[in-house]
Amino acid sequence: MAPIQSTLVAKFENNYNDQTSSPLYTLVPNEIRNTIFGYCLKPTYDLSRPYNPIGYVSRPGYRYPLKVDTTLLQTCRLVYLEGHQLPVDILKEHTLWRHRGPANEGAREFNWEEFLNQAEEELEWQRDIVERVVLFTQLYWLESDFSEVTGESALKAKTLKVVIRHHDWWNWESNTPLALENGWTEDLASAETLEEFILELETMERDKDQMLAIANNCRDWKIEFSNERTATATQHPLLTWKWDGPAAFQDSPDDDYALTYDKEQNHWDYVSVSEEGKIDSKTATGMVYWVAQIRWTVQPSDE
């Protein structure tokens, strides 16, 4: 079934009122009208639905889901035809989660599979507009299914950022030493529009040195593309920063337990969120997380 948006465009483009009696169309220049529409359709944070502070999603820059008020697009067909692309055009970014995303908390998240299953000609304009893709993923998915995002028919963005959070490493809850093997970057070969690739690694302060060693090793990786381009990272500095985050994690806000870090025992264990004196969403803080960012720039091959 064709997307509702594509169906409406096909229905409206040859059957609309040209609004010659409206000052918005007779007196206001196209550029100014487009700016006004942009303000109305700009994605904003939905402050009424904060992410669970001890969930797996909440972090700097991701405290609330985005929302778009589309009331403007319901005013008339001409407004719809002029403005329906603006929310995507303004944001120019898609954020994807491969497990432990907003859906765990009952919120909507971008469905990449549905996007790819649509007829390509119907959504090609979206792929052309989206300039940046951010991917939060667990390592097991990255190492086995990364090509779902990077395939030639999937990724048209100029920038791709992959984020490995503290709880995305293999067996993190068992204090397993951090490890990141190469090989999955080979799936970037068919991403012919890519100009920049960013990898962010995150871990708790206890494992900072392990993460930095891995990050410095990643900077030596050279990524080859099928269109005879290469990407290198050694020309860019390794960026690091830290943030204060939770010492406990819940799969869902309705869970009775949270996976909680015991600093004295140096291990993670499940603790009741309702037990008096134990963890809750207000006191689950006190952990320091370190992030390292490696950036590759894509350039023509020397060959």
Side-chain angles (χ1 to χ4, degrees), residues 45-59 61-66 95 97 101-103 105-109 253 281:
Y45 289 116
D46 186 351
L47 302 183
S48 68
R49 297 190 299 135
Y51 289 134
N52 181 8
I54 59 171
Y56 289 99
V57 177
S58 183
R59 57 189 297 104
Y62 293 88
R63 301 301 190 189
Y64 305 89
L66 288 173
T95 301
W97 285 266
E105 302 186 19
R108 292 187 61 187
E109 64 183 69
S281 61

Side-chain angles (χ1 to χ4, degrees), residues 47 132 152 178 268:
L47 302 183
R132 180 180 175 90
E152 183 176 353
L178 306 184
W268 294 84

Side-chain angles (χ1 to χ4, degrees), residues 19-189:
Q19 302 296 340
T20 54
S21 61
S22 170
L24 182 63
Y25 280 93
T26 58
L27 300 179
V28 179
N30 291 344
E31 295 81 3
I32 296 179
R33 186 169 63 249
N34 191 65
T35 300
I36 295 172
F37 287 0
Y39 282 125
C40 295
L41 296 168
K42 181 180 179 179
T44 59
Y45 289 116
D46 186 351
L47 302 183
S48 68
R49 297 190 299 135
Y51 289 134
N52 181 8
I54 59 171
Y56 289 99
V57 177
S58 183
R59 57 189 297 104
Y62 293 88
R63 301 301 190 189
Y64 305 89
L66 288 173
K67 66 175 182 179
V68 178
D69 187 340
T70 59
T71 304
L72 174 68
L73 300 180
Q74 302 174 39
T75 56
C76 76
R77 296 183 177 189
L78 185 55
V79 168
Y80 183 89
L81 290 171
E82 287 193 2
H84 74 279
Q85 295 186 13
L86 284 174
V88 179
D89 193 20
I90 294 169
L91 188 61
K92 294 186 184 299
E93 177 177 293
H94 276 321
T95 301
L96 298 82
W97 285 266
R98 275 301 170 263
H99 307 290
R100 289 177 173 160
N104 285 48
E105 302 186 19
R108 292 187 61 187
E109 64 183 69
F110 182 76
N111 191 311
W112 190 259
E113 285 79 9
E114 288 184 3
F115 182 62
L116 294 182
N117 287 336
Q118 304 292 350
E120 184 162 345
E121 64 273 12
E122 293 169 340
L123 290 178
E124 188 173 1
W125 66 269
Q126 287 195 29
R127 295 182 184 137
D128 291 340
I129 289 176
V130 173
E131 295 183 354
R132 180 180 175 90
V133 172
V134 180
L135 172 64
F136 292 93
T137 176
Q138 293 186 295
L139 272 185
Y140 85 86
W141 188 92
L142 184 69
E143 294 172 354
S144 61
D145 298 309
F146 189 40
S147 60
E148 290 183 14
V149 170
T150 60
E152 183 176 353
S153 64
L155 185 67
K156 302 295 184 182
K158 296 179 180 178
T159 298
L160 171 63
K161 180 168 76 171
V162 172
V163 183
I164 306 298
R165 300 162 293 181
H166 165 69
H167 44 75
D168 291 326
W169 297 90
W170 282 103
N171 302 315
W172 63 277
E173 62 270 62
S174 301
N175 293 340
T176 300
L178 306 184
L180 178 62
E181 301 294 334
N182 198 0
W184 53 270
T185 56
E186 295 177 2
D187 289 332
L188 289 168

Side-chain angles (χ1 to χ4, degrees), residues 214-229:
I214 292 172
N216 279 301
N217 179 61
C218 291
R219 291 184 68 235
D220 294 327
W221 292 357
K222 185 177 181 180
I223 303 173
E224 304 281 353
F225 293 83
S226 57
N227 54 356
E228 298 186 346
R229 299 185 305 157

